[in-house]
Amino acid sequence: MTTTSPSVPTIYKLTIERYRGIKHLSWRPARGVNLILGGGDVGKTTILDAISLLLSPTNSATVLDSDYNLRDDEAEFSIEAVVALPSGGGINQLTKPSWPWIWNGLDAIVPAHDESTAPGEEVYVLRVRGTADLELSYEIVQPSGTTETLPVSFRRAIGLVRLSGDDRNDRDLRLVQGSALDRLLTDKGLRPRIAGKLAQNDVRSELSDDARKALTDLDDAFRKRKLPDDLDIAVTGGQGPSIASLVGLTAKRETVQLPLSSWGSGTRRLSALAIAEQIQGGNPITVVDEVERGLEPYRQRILMARLQGASSQAFVTTHSPAVISAAEKSSLWYMDQTGGLGQLTGAKVARLRATDPDSFLARLTVVAEGVTEVGFVRSVLVKALASELQPLGFHVADGGGHDTTIELLESLSEGGMRFGGFADDENRHPTRWANVQMQLGPLLFRWKSGDVESNLVDALADDQIEAFVTDPDDEKTGRRLRSLAMRLKIEPKDFASIKVAAGPELKRFIKEAAGGKVPEGTPDAEKKTYSKQAQDWFKTERGGRELAEKLFDLGVWPALKVQLLPFCNAVRAAAGLPALEDLSS
């Protein structure tokens, strides 16, 4: 049987059981950078903490009852990963041999002992359990079902660099056991040499006269009580931080060598990653919580470029639009309020990520079909919510057209994101729209037929039409009338003449002009003139806001209430607000 080995340590599957707020999670992360998005308190940091605990380069981790799901410490928690390791990744240096599994693309399977088995990568199953005794048990799970101890030396050989959300995280810049700096220097005799050197210092001579007298008196008291005497003061070991952990990197600022830990949090984070790049050829598994912490947007983009340019696997969380827009080579994942984790894929998701990254950070984002719908939906929802959208964490995004909107909503729904939608009915993709409707329910609004403009026009009374055509800022009224006169092929451009010429077809002409429809038989040279007329009507965000104002100001709302109110109430429910029976005019 032929097998292959990866060039860097890679987690192919992560399974978490009963760890903190995660009851169960089974996830197959991608190679490269995995960018995890989602709201607050959904478990993003818990995933990163689970990976960090499993691959911890030390044995000093403390287990708390809060690490157990619902604080049920009688039920063990388990963090298990299927990991592919490069040749020479430390597995052959174990005291007891560990046998590989085979990765079949979905899971680790027991290797067969014949040539009929398809080629695959050798992988190992690593696990850490939080036992009922509040202790950690590190294990390598063998294909036979037995387990062997997963030693700290092997975990260090795999390599892990972690940058947490802690502002003062400078662990990897100091000689803490298992830190990135400690693993880089690999000088096992350094700690005792530091302790010996410090112990030679004459601390007693630095004491004040009163302090030296107090020490002498204490020595007398010890001698009288037959305790060890001839007391002195020197550096000693003991519980708490080791002496070596007080040693760290320094750098020159002006003319003074200062601890690197005294620099800003952003510089410390970038410094820790620079150290990591020197370890194992720069390929340790990297875990970064809130990657934007302490970094200006331009430095966030630099850091993302560095992570995406490396060959190592990384797990990153963020609340930064700059990070999301820079994540063009990352795999995007969304974690919802139920703890589900889905991948966001597709060209339309990539376009939204690049052009409107705030969409992935909102409490609720509504994808509107076009720019007109963006303005319309924002205005209607502000009225329905009696609040601006931003304080509620709501956002309206431009879907970029009918076809792109359905593709985008499909991708987002499959990824588990709780999006809303607002679209026209163009008599296309009925099955696909029905499937998205099943996923989103009333959070997906679609007109029963047509678009925003046509629905409003159809609901107008005859005496309301002139007011509908009139631009409240009076900038576009003349151009709108000229577009109607052009379609009617008449010279007068006043509303009265247009109304007479159009007769009972006036609403049809308005809808065609507002939509930029090109009349049949129009010469090619004139088609662009007709299609551009839509810009003089409502094909802008401002035009969408104007339509929303006219929906209420002209009294059209009662005719469209039955369609729009369920959508408004679905958005209110997402904000934790009760349903309304009506919207005030």
Side-chain angles (χ1 to χ4, degrees):
M1 178 178 61
T2 304
T3 60
T4 58
S5 297
S7 58
V8 298
T10 306
I11 296 175
Y12 284 170
K13 183 180 180 182
L14 179 70
T15 304
I16 301 174
E17 302 283 353
R18 298 176 299 279
Y19 180 59
R20 296 186 184 169
I22 297 179
K23 188 172 183 180
H24 171 77
L25 175 71
S26 182
W27 178 35
R28 297 180 184 86
R31 300 173 187 265
V33 178
N34 293 272
L35 186 62
I36 306 173
L37 309 173
D41 299 322
V42 296
K44 304 186 300 296
T45 298
T46 299
I47 293 176
L48 271 55
D49 286 346
I51 295 171
S52 300
L53 183 62
L54 176 64
L55 300 179
S56 173
T58 71
N59 283 327
S60 60
T62 302
V63 185
L64 305 174
D65 64 339
S66 56
D67 289 327
Y68 296 74
N69 186 249
L70 300 178
R71 289 195 163 180
D72 182 8
D73 54 17
E74 293 298 319
E76 296 185 346
F77 72 73
S78 171
I79 302 164
E80 184 175 286
V82 178
V83 182
L85 300 171
S87 56
I91 193 70
N92 297 324
Q93 300 174 15
L94 297 176
T95 304
K96 294 184 178 180
S98 287
W99 304 102
W101 301 65
I102 295 297
W103 179 251
N104 68 358
L106 294 175
D107 214 334
I109 60 173
V110 177
H113 299 287
D114 57 66
E115 295 298 324
S116 63
T117 303
E121 287 191 59
E122 292 184 348
V123 293
Y124 297 87
V125 179
L126 312 181
R127 181 169 65 199
V128 59
R129 293 184 296 109
T131 70
D133 297 323
L134 298 181
E135 295 179 346
L136 292 176
S137 177
Y138 283 91
E139 302 166 337
I140 303 176
V141 182
Q142 306 279 37
S144 63
T146 61
T147 61
E148 297 292 344
T149 300
L150 173 59
V152 66
S153 58
F154 180 40
R155 303 199 302 270
R156 290 182 188 173
I158 294 173
L160 175 79
V161 170
R162 183 185 181 190
L163 304 182
S164 73
D166 183 359
D167 250 351
R168 298 304 302 172
N169 177 39
D170 63 350
R171 179 181 183 276
D172 284 324
L173 307 180
R174 295 182 288 115
L175 280 177
V176 178
Q177 190 166 8
S179 70
L181 182 61
D182 179 48
R183 284 178 281 153
L184 176 67
L185 299 181
T186 61
D187 187 343
K188 296 182 179 179
L190 182 58
R191 284 182 178 78
R193 291 202 302 275
I194 290 173
K197 198 74 173 177
L198 291 174
Q200 296 173 14
N201 291 341
D202 184 6
V203 179
R204 188 186 192 107
S205 64
E206 301 298 326
L207 297 177
S208 66
D209 292 341
D210 290 343
R212 280 200 295 271
K213 183 178 185 306
L215 183 60
T216 300
D217 292 344
L218 180 64
D219 187 46
D220 292 341
F222 267 47
R223 189 175 293 106
K224 290 177 182 177
R225 289 169 175 75
K226 307 301 183 185
L227 294 173
D229 55 16
D230 200 10
L231 300 181
D232 202 349
I233 292 290
V235 176
T236 63
Q239 294 184 350
S242 67
I243 294 170
S245 71
L246 302 178
V247 177
L249 290 176
T250 66
K252 182 174 287 187
R253 178 176 285 177
E254 296 180 2
T255 60
V256 180
Q257 287 288 129
L258 294 176
L260 204 58
S261 58
S262 66
W263 263 257
S265 60
T267 298
R268 296 199 309 276
R269 290 186 137 210
L270 294 176
S271 299
L273 280 179
I275 296 172
E277 290 173 357
Q278 305 302 313
I279 304 173
Q280 299 175 334
N283 296 321
I285 291 175
T286 304
V287 173
V288 187
D289 194 16
E290 297 182 13
V291 65
E292 67 275 11
R293 181 69 70 104
L295 298 174
E296 302 86 353
Y298 80 93
R299 297 178 88 190
Q300 295 173 26
R301 296 185 184 96
I302 291 173
L303 178 52
M304 284 302 296
R306 180 179 297 177
L307 291 172
Q308 293 175 131
S311 58
S312 56
Q313 189 179 38
F315 300 87
V316 179
T317 68
T318 188
H319 296 98
S320 167
V323 170
I324 295 174
S325 64
E328 68 272 7
K329 296 181 181 179
S330 300
S331 297
L332 267 61
W333 302 85
Y334 183 79
M335 195 166 195
D336 63 20
Q337 295 293 331
T338 67
L341 192 63
Q343 189 170 11
L344 305 176
T345 60
K348 302 305 180 289
V349 170
R351 185 191 70 84
L352 187 65
R353 175 200 56 75
T355 60
D356 192 2
D358 283 331
S359 299
F360 299 95
L361 300 172
R363 183 179 176 188
L364 174 70
T365 292
V366 176
V367 179
E369 178 169 316
V371 65
T372 302
E373 287 76 12
V374 169
F376 182 81
V377 171
R378 281 179 180 161
S379 296
V380 171
L381 289 182
V382 165
K383 193 173 190 67
L385 296 165
S387 168
E388 293 295 330
L389 302 187
Q390 189 172 10
L392 296 173
F394 290 179
H395 182 70
V396 180
D398 183 357
H402 190 78
D403 291 340
T404 56
T405 296
I406 180 63
E407 291 182 35
L408 182 58
L409 289 173
E410 285 173 333
S411 297
L412 295 170
S413 297
E414 291 170 2
M417 294 196 76
R418 191 188 184 199
F419 268 51
F422 195 98
D424 303 338
D425 181 359
E426 298 186 3
N427 293 318
R428 290 186 290 136
H429 318 305
T431 301
R432 295 169 64 190
W433 278 114
N435 290 336
V436 174
Q437 189 81 65
M438 289 180 61
Q439 291 282 338
L440 301 181
L443 277 173
L444 173 62
F445 175 88
R446 295 187 68 219
W447 293 106
K448 292 181 179 179
S449 64
D451 54 19
V452 179
E453 299 97 310
S454 62
N455 275 272
L456 264 69
V457 171
D458 287 340
L460 291 171
D462 288 345
D463 60 356
Q464 296 173 321
I465 296 177
E466 184 174 7
F468 181 82
V469 172
T470 302
D471 178 4
D473 296 331
D474 207 30
E475 293 180 4
K476 297 183 177 181
T477 304
R479 295 200 293 272
R480 291 173 183 177
L481 292 173
R482 283 195 295 273
S483 69
L484 293 173
M486 179 179 176
R487 289 172 181 270
L488 290 164
K489 302 185 185 306
I490 64 174
E491 281 298 322
K493 298 175 179 61
D494 60 281
F495 181 77
S497 299
I498 290 171
K499 182 177 180 181
V500 170
E505 296 295 304
L506 179 57
K507 287 186 177 181
R508 176 175 68 84
F509 279 105
I510 291 175
K511 288 189 287 186
E512 290 179 356
K517 181 178 180 180
V518 178
E520 292 184 11
T522 300
D524 290 345
E526 298 178 15
K527 287 181 178 180
K528 189 173 183 180
T529 301
Y530 281 102
S531 63
K532 287 179 65 176
Q533 289 175 353
Q535 301 298 318
D536 294 328
W537 288 80
F538 309 110
K539 291 303 180 186
T540 61
E541 184 177 343
R542 174 182 174 275
R545 294 197 303 270
E546 181 185 341
L547 286 171
E549 292 169 3
K550 288 177 174 176
L551 172 69
F552 296 100
D553 293 346
L554 299 180
V556 180
W557 167 256
L560 301 179
K561 166 185 170 181
V562 67
Q563 293 190 65
L564 289 166
L565 188 59
F567 169 72
C568 293
N569 278 329
V571 176
R572 282 180 61 85
L577 299 172
L580 297 174
E581 294 184 2
D582 204 350
L583 299 188
S584 58
S585 59

